[in-house]
PDB file of all heavy atoms in Angstrom:
ATOM      1  N   GLU A 360      34.154  60.834  16.086  1.00  0.00           N
ATOM      2  CA  GLU A 360      33.707  60.010  17.206  1.00  0.00           C
ATOM      3  C   GLU A 360      34.745  58.984  17.641  1.00  0.00           C
ATOM      4  O   GLU A 360      34.667  58.469  18.743  1.00  0.00           O
ATOM      5  CB  GLU A 360      32.405  59.303  16.855  1.00  0.00           C
ATOM      6  CG  GLU A 360      31.245  60.264  16.720  1.00  0.00           C
ATOM      7  CD  GLU A 360      29.956  59.552  16.389  1.00  0.00           C
ATOM      8  OE1 GLU A 360      29.839  58.356  16.702  1.00  0.00           O
ATOM      9  OE2 GLU A 360      29.070  60.200  15.827  1.00  0.00           O
ATOM     10  N   ILE A 361      35.715  58.662  16.786  1.00  0.00           N
ATOM     11  CA  ILE A 361      36.699  57.659  17.168  1.00  0.00           C
ATOM     12  C   ILE A 361      38.081  58.253  17.448  1.00  0.00           C
ATOM     13  O   ILE A 361      39.021  57.525  17.652  1.00  0.00           O
ATOM     14  CB  ILE A 361      36.809  56.533  16.129  1.00  0.00           C
ATOM     15  CG1 ILE A 361      37.201  57.081  14.774  1.00  0.00           C
ATOM     16  CG2 ILE A 361      35.547  55.719  16.072  1.00  0.00           C
ATOM     17  CD1 ILE A 361      37.541  56.026  13.765  1.00  0.00           C
ATOM     18  N   ASP A 362      38.196  59.565  17.495  1.00  0.00           N
ATOM     19  CA  ASP A 362      39.478  60.198  17.786  1.00  0.00           C
ATOM     20  C   ASP A 362      40.095  59.664  19.069  1.00  0.00           C
ATOM     21  O   ASP A 362      41.297  59.482  19.160  1.00  0.00           O
ATOM     22  CB  ASP A 362      39.326  61.715  17.925  1.00  0.00           C
ATOM     23  CG  ASP A 362      39.085  62.390  16.590  1.00  0.00           C
ATOM     24  OD1 ASP A 362      39.095  61.694  15.568  1.00  0.00           O
ATOM     25  OD2 ASP A 362      38.881  63.609  16.597  1.00  0.00           O
ATOM     26  N   GLU A 363      39.260  59.419  20.068  1.00  0.00           N
ATOM     27  CA  GLU A 363      39.769  58.978  21.359  1.00  0.00           C
ATOM     28  C   GLU A 363      40.400  57.597  21.288  1.00  0.00           C
ATOM     29  O   GLU A 363      41.124  57.198  22.187  1.00  0.00           O
ATOM     30  CB  GLU A 363      38.660  58.992  22.405  1.00  0.00           C
ATOM     31  CG  GLU A 363      37.564  57.983  22.109  1.00  0.00           C
ATOM     32  CD  GLU A 363      36.377  58.121  23.019  1.00  0.00           C
ATOM     33  OE1 GLU A 363      35.506  58.953  22.714  1.00  0.00           O
ATOM     34  OE2 GLU A 363      36.340  57.410  24.022  1.00  0.00           O
ATOM     35  N   PHE A 364      40.158  56.850  20.217  1.00  0.00           N
ATOM     36  CA  PHE A 364      40.707  55.508  20.092  1.00  0.00           C
ATOM     37  C   PHE A 364      41.952  55.440  19.216  1.00  0.00           C
ATOM     38  O   PHE A 364      42.468  54.368  18.955  1.00  0.00           O
ATOM     39  CB  PHE A 364      39.643  54.539  19.572  1.00  0.00           C
ATOM     40  CG  PHE A 364      38.445  54.459  20.474  1.00  0.00           C
ATOM     41  CD1 PHE A 364      37.219  54.946  20.060  1.00  0.00           C
ATOM     42  CD2 PHE A 364      38.554  53.931  21.748  1.00  0.00           C
ATOM     43  CE1 PHE A 364      36.117  54.885  20.892  1.00  0.00           C
ATOM     44  CE2 PHE A 364      37.455  53.864  22.589  1.00  0.00           C
ATOM     45  CZ  PHE A 364      36.234  54.349  22.160  1.00  0.00           C
ATOM     46  N   LEU A 365      42.418  56.602  18.726  1.00  0.00           N
ATOM     47  CA  LEU A 365      43.655  56.646  17.944  1.00  0.00           C
ATOM     48  C   LEU A 365      44.854  56.585  18.884  1.00  0.00           C
ATOM     49  O   LEU A 365      44.768  56.952  20.052  1.00  0.00           O
ATOM     50  CB  LEU A 365      43.736  57.929  17.120  1.00  0.00           C
ATOM     51  CG  LEU A 365      42.761  58.066  15.956  1.00  0.00           C
ATOM     52  CD1 LEU A 365      42.879  59.443  15.328  1.00  0.00           C
ATOM     53  CD2 LEU A 365      43.008  56.992  14.926  1.00  0.00           C
ATOM     54  N   PHE A 366      45.995  56.142  18.354  1.00  0.00           N
ATOM     55  CA  PHE A 366      47.226  56.144  19.126  1.00  0.00           C
ATOM     56  C   PHE A 366      47.523  57.578  19.538  1.00  0.00           C
ATOM     57  O   PHE A 366      47.415  58.504  18.738  1.00  0.00           O
ATOM     58  CB  PHE A 366      48.384  55.589  18.284  1.00  0.00           C
ATOM     59  CG  PHE A 366      49.642  55.389  19.064  1.00  0.00           C
ATOM     60  CD1 PHE A 366      49.773  54.308  19.923  1.00  0.00           C
ATOM     61  CD2 PHE A 366      50.693  56.280  18.944  1.00  0.00           C
ATOM     62  CE1 PHE A 366      50.945  54.110  20.648  1.00  0.00           C
ATOM     63  CE2 PHE A 366      51.871  56.088  19.656  1.00  0.00           C
ATOM     64  CZ  PHE A 366      51.996  55.008  20.510  1.00  0.00           C
ATOM     65  N   SER A 367      47.911  57.785  20.789  1.00  0.00           N
ATOM     66  CA  SER A 367      48.072  59.129  21.330  1.00  0.00           C
ATOM     67  C   SER A 367      49.457  59.343  21.931  1.00  0.00           C
ATOM     68  O   SER A 367      50.226  58.398  22.116  1.00  0.00           O
ATOM     69  CB  SER A 367      47.024  59.362  22.425  1.00  0.00           C
ATOM     70  OG  SER A 367      47.291  58.504  23.524  1.00  0.00           O
TER      71      SER A 367
END
Side-chain angles (χ1 to χ4, degrees):
E360 292 181 24
I361 59 171
D362 287 357
E363 65 188 85
F364 301 112
L365 290 175
F366 188 76
S367 66

